[in-house]
Amino acid sequence: MILAGPSILDPHGPEAHRLAGVWWLMFTMAVVVYVVVAGFILVGVLRGRRSDGGRASRISEGAFIWVGGIIVPSAILLVLAVVTVQATTKVRRPERNPLPIEVIGRQWWWEVRYPTLGISTANEIHVPAGRQIQMGLDASDVIHSFWVPQLAGKVDAIPGQHNLLRFTADTPGVYRGQCAEYCGVQHARMAMIVVADTPATFERWAARRQTTPSPPDGDEQARGQLVFMSHPCAGCHTIKGTEANGTRGPDLTDIGSRRWLGAITVPNTANFLEAWITAPATIKPGVLMPPTQLPPDQLKALVAYLEGLK
Ligand code: CUA
């Protein structure tokens, strides 16, 4: 799967466009200042080399310091301050009928809830392209920061404080994001993707997520479900429509349809799923999920069951 390059200079929404605009303005001003200052240095060096010490300047030193050291930098900072505040205020402005999504930063994954749709998932956030998202951000343990550079600026997820982030993805696509606040040993592997679907695809996705998954398909998956329910898995994870209702780990109701495991650490394949169940710390050292040792046939059945949860 190809992920678009996660750069703020590749904006895919109106909010991200404004932030990219501020970046380009800052960059342009910095280049102009650099060129002017470098020019003065060059002039100074060339003049200083002359044996007569150079002619006296027509501009007094005092005026030079006032203009170059105080007035011009103040004007530049003032312009940047106004533009930044303007862009941020516009970014935060609510539109009509935004889609509320609650995201909770946890060590080291993202819990994702759609309160109006009754959907719960993790790490892969489906949104309808073209509709504004009103994202509530919280954290359950330490401070995290939600950052999908192509769609919006960073907003911290802080325990005990509800923060708000508004953004719109204007084109369908997969946008990668990353926790942007050091939050412990696996901070680097606390990524997420925003999957912007066309409105019709999003509707289908939501409808599918709202229905309780059908019972296991076939003997092997049924055995796998039994393994899941009779091992500690069910104490930490929820699978809708079963007795598994743990909340310590990600909701696994749609695990079979997710593209990645371990907060976008490895692709969601049967091999990685086996490795993740038996020795998660080899993939993500420090992960809070304990290893589960299973006989090979039970492991295979369990993986078949989980892969079938779509
Ligand atoms: Cu969560 Cu860094």
Side-chain angles (χ1 to χ4, degrees), residues 64-121:
F64 210 78
I65 287 170
W66 270 101
V67 174
I70 295 170
I71 296 173
V72 171
S74 302
I76 290 174
L77 291 178
L78 189 72
V79 169
L80 287 180
V82 170
V83 169
T84 304
V85 169
Q86 252 185 359
T88 322
T89 327
K90 278 185 192 153
V91 164
R92 293 190 59 85
R93 194 181 53 200
E95 280 171 15
R96 233 158 28 91
N97 192 26
L99 175 69
I101 301 179
E102 296 297 317
V103 170
I104 299 140
R106 310 183 58 157
Q107 283 176 320
W108 289 278
W109 57 285
W110 303 91
E111 184 179 340
V112 183
R113 293 191 205 138
Y114 297 72
T116 50
L117 302 173
I119 296 169
S120 178
T121 181

Side-chain angles (χ1 to χ4, degrees), residues 29 49 76 99-100 105 117 124 184 192 218 229 243 271 286 295-296 307:
M29 286 173 124
R49 285 229 178 116
I76 290 174
L99 175 69
L117 302 173
E124 303 187 8
M192 71 301 244
M229 300 306 158
E243 57 214 65
N271 283 345
E307 299 261 283

Side-chain angles (χ1 to χ4, degrees), residues 138-206:
D138 295 275
S140 69
D141 34 44
V142 299
I143 300 178
H144 305 272
S145 182
F146 186 91
W147 189 33
V148 182
Q150 289 165 294
L151 298 178
K154 293 172 197 170
V155 172
D156 278 1
I158 301 169
Q161 182 182 317
H162 189 73
N163 282 345
L164 205 60
L165 171 68
R166 292 197 179 93
F167 65 88
T168 314
D170 56 16
T171 37
V174 179
Y175 305 105
R176 191 188 167 104
Q178 170 65 39
C179 179
E181 176 78 39
Y182 181 71
C183 55
V185 63
Q186 284 301 337
H187 157 68
R189 292 197 191 98
M190 186 171 169
M192 71 301 244
I193 53 174
V194 172
V195 182
D197 297 319
T198 61
T201 310
F202 178 79
E203 289 299 320
R204 276 202 301 278
W205 174 84

